[in-house]
Amino acid sequence: MQPIEAHRHDKAADAVHEGRPVEARFVRGGGKGRTLLSILVVSTSVTALLLIGLLVFWNIMAGDPDREAKQKIADAAQFSQTVPRS
């Protein structure tokens, strides 16, 4: 990968040694290409999808696979009956 301007570092170093202000185009670290916002949007989207996937997985696995539906209904019916007050 060839730099856009081959002697950028030399120009910035010369300005520092001579006590002149360094031009912003010589000291900027970022190059042209993807913006930071696009990287943040993509990474946030991937993280959200992963968390949603884990939530769905945990909710599916949270059911008790050992009990049958009839047993669950019978257990729930015991607790749904109202108790008369004395």
Side-chain angles (χ1 to χ4, degrees), residues 7-75:
H7 302 290
R8 281 176 93 108
H9 176 72
D10 295 335
K11 290 180 182 180
D14 290 342
V16 169
H17 291 300
E18 294 170 6
R20 295 183 287 121
V22 180
E23 293 182 39
R25 64 189 178 108
F26 295 131
V27 295
R28 286 191 183 124
K32 294 184 179 184
R34 285 188 244 163
T35 62
L36 183 60
L37 180 62
S38 64
I39 294 171
L40 289 173
V41 167
V42 169
S43 63
T44 303
S45 302
V46 169
T47 303
L49 289 174
L50 199 117
L51 287 174
I52 289 170
L54 284 173
L55 180 69
V56 168
F57 177 74
W58 282 333
N59 282 334
I60 289 172
M61 298 304 288
D64 191 2
D66 296 333
R67 294 174 50 202
E68 293 181 9
K70 291 180 182 179
Q71 291 174 335
K72 291 180 185 179
I73 292 171
D75 291 342

